[in-house]
Every structure is written in structure tokens, then in C-alpha cells.
Amino acid sequence: MAVAGGTTGRIPLIAGNWKMNLDHLQSIAFVQKLAWTLKDARHDFAKVEVAVFPPFTDLRSVQTLVNADDLPIAFGGQDLSEFDSGAYTGEISGQFLKALDTKYVIIGHSERRQYHGESDEQIAAKLAAAHRNGIVPIVCVGETAADLETHGPSAVPVSQLRVALGGAAKGQEVVVAYEPVWAIGSGQPATSEQAQQVCAALRAVVAEVLDDEAAAATRILYGGSVKAANIAGFMREPDVDGALVGGASLLVDEFSSIVRYQQHLGT
Ligand code: PGA
């Protein structure tokens, strides 16, 4: 593997979680503009991988565009069912996502945990469903402000990840996203030191539940109010391998600038 993430060998990943924004027509315009902007800037996709996570109804459009124009942009779903088929009204199967060439799927985002009551066990089952269908799960973990006060910085994300990784298939890739709930959409990111501390603890969980090799290879992202102005600080940390970006991923120029953080690492 190309050594892009410093000495770690992990290729940094900048992932844009669109949440419930942009319809299928808007998604085409957005991905086209993103690809042009990055191409104009001569972005080296082998050095920093780029992925977008549109709503389900956009995925076919994004797939068609990416395939037709051979764009170096990966895409994924924002969730999937723990089941592959059956009487689960409103759910989306990993089989369907795989059929649309989705490389990734976000699992256990705090908004799913909060508004849909997803438990750690269900998230483990979803992780297993992703692996069963050959999709790389991006498993989100993170503490609330109350958790932080009661349990300190890493206890809750560590225990969430320990359960979720129970669903992992041996030898298959996992991406972890540390997203403190208090930092999501708040404009108040964690400090890079806080992110590093928790990401290091999460890497230790990967080593414990999977193995050392998996821990060394697994990309751990930080998410929560990431912007072009703060990404470089996070990316300087040895255990932060990228970012899961919400609000700022909906602005082409801002998102492109986050992707191009290596240009402002010195800042
Ligand atoms: P934010 O969202 O960048 O808008 O804080 C991050 C996320 O929820 O993944």
C-alpha cells in the first residue's frame, strides 16, 4: 500500500455525510462540481481518498455519474438494515447497496442512535450485514456532553466500539469514526488533542477485539464541526486518519479545501 498517511501506510479518508440534504438532481450537480474542483486543484486521490454519503434516493444517480465519467470519488449509504431481505418496511438492504457499487456505509451515526434508538447490539448486527455484503462499514461512536462529564472522554466510545466490532468478519476492513455528540453540528469541535486521545483508545480496542494488524491498518476518523480552518490540526495527530464531515461537506469549495488539507498542514 502507498505510504500516504505519514509512516502509518493508512490512506487518509475525507468522507462527506450529507445527511438529509440534496435530492438526486442536486447530487449530480454537486458531485460533478466537486470532481471538477478537485481536478482543477490537481488533487492526488491516491494520497487522500474522497467519499460522499448521499441520501438513498440519490445513490443510483451518483453511481451512474461516477461510472460514466470514471470519477475517482467513492460513495456510500448513510445506513443499512441488519437484514438482507424480508418484511422490513422502509429498510434498505446491504445487497441493494452493493448492487449500486457502494463502497462504504455509515453505521451507528449518533443521529440514528438518538432518533431511531439504535443499540450497540443492533449496530454490531449492521456491521455484520455490511461485511456479509462486501461493504466497508464506517462505524460511528462518540459520547454526549453528559457522558463526558460523568465518564470522561473515552469510556463511552470505547465501550460502543467494543460491542460493534463483535459483528466484524475476520480480515474485512472497518473504518471507525469518533464523533463526540456535543461537537456535531455545534460549531464547537473537539481539540485535536482530545481527538487524538480518544482515537488512540479506539485503536487499542481494535487491537483487543480484532488484532494488532487490524489496528495498524484501520482508519480512524474524527467528526464533529470539521472545517477547512481546523482540519489540518486533526490530521497532524498520529491516530487521526481522516474526517467525517457533515455541514461543511455540503459546500463544494469548503469540502474541497478540507480534502486538500495537505496544502495547509503548515498552518
Ligand atoms: P458536522 O457533522 O460536521 O456538521 O458537525 C458531522 C457528522 O454528523 O457526521
Side-chain angles (χ1 to χ4, degrees):
M1 205 197 299
V3 177
T7 53
T8 69
R10 298 185 290 267
I11 309 271
L13 171 63
I14 303 294
N17 173 13
W18 295 1
K19 308 191 181 185
M20 200 170 72
N21 295 289
L22 306 184
D23 66 24
H24 73 290
L25 296 174
Q26 293 168 319
S27 78
I28 294 172
F30 184 95
V31 172
Q32 256 165 351
K33 191 158 180 233
L34 178 64
W36 288 334
T37 305
L38 289 171
K39 195 169 171 238
D40 275 356
R42 300 181 190 284
H43 178 63
D44 184 349
F45 290 86
K47 289 216 172 110
V48 179
E49 189 183 354
V50 183
V52 294
F53 293 79
F56 289 131
T57 50
D58 299 5
L59 282 174
R60 174 65 172 153
S61 305
V62 171
Q63 177 209 22
T64 304
L65 171 66
V66 164
N67 287 353
D69 292 358
D70 199 17
L71 303 180
I73 293 177
F75 53 91
Q78 297 177 11
D79 181 37
L80 88 173
S81 171
E82 67 224 72
F83 306 107
D84 286 345
S85 64
Y88 303 104
T89 301
E91 293 293 297
I92 298 291
S93 163
Q95 289 180 345
F96 305 161
L97 294 179
K98 189 62 188 173
L100 291 178
D101 302 330
T102 62
K103 179 170 180 187
Y104 296 107
V105 65
I106 296 172
I107 288 176
H109 189 279
S110 68
E111 287 148 18
R112 302 289 316 173
R113 294 178 188 262
Q114 186 184 349
Y115 304 133
H116 300 270
E118 290 190 9
S119 65
D120 291 336
E121 291 70 22
Q122 193 178 4
I123 290 156
K126 289 185 174 207
L127 196 152
H131 276 172
R132 200 162 60 235
N133 288 290
I135 304 169
V136 177
I138 299 185
V139 191
C140 301
V141 297
E143 80 288 357
T144 64
D147 292 334
L148 185 63
E149 214 161 281
T150 319
H151 306 287
S154 43
V156 168
V158 157
S159 83
Q160 289 173 336
L161 186 61
R162 207 173 265 140
V163 179
L165 286 180
K170 211 177 160 28
Q172 286 208 47
E173 185 180 355
V174 176
V175 175
V176 177
Y178 167 51
E179 296 208 305
V181 180
W182 47 270
I184 294 177
S186 67
Q188 297 201 310
T191 64
S192 48
E193 294 77 14
Q194 283 172 314
Q196 166 58 26
Q197 186 190 351
V198 180
C199 290
L202 294 173
R203 196 174 301 288
V205 174
V206 179
E208 169 200 316
V209 181
L210 302 176
D211 54 34
D212 288 344
E213 203 184 318
T218 296
R219 290 176 294 180
I220 303 185
L221 316 182
Y222 166 76
S225 298
V226 169
K227 307 247 175 322
N230 60 31
I231 181 68
F234 291 113
M235 296 309 294
R236 266 195 290 266
E237 299 294 344
D239 285 296
V240 178
D241 306 310
L244 183 55
V245 185
S249 78
L250 297 168
L251 308 167
V252 170
D253 290 336
E254 180 77 10
F255 188 60
S256 302
S257 180
I258 294 171
V259 168
R260 306 270 300 138
Y261 72 88
Q262 289 177 337
Q263 308 310 305
H264 40 107
L265 258 184
T267 60

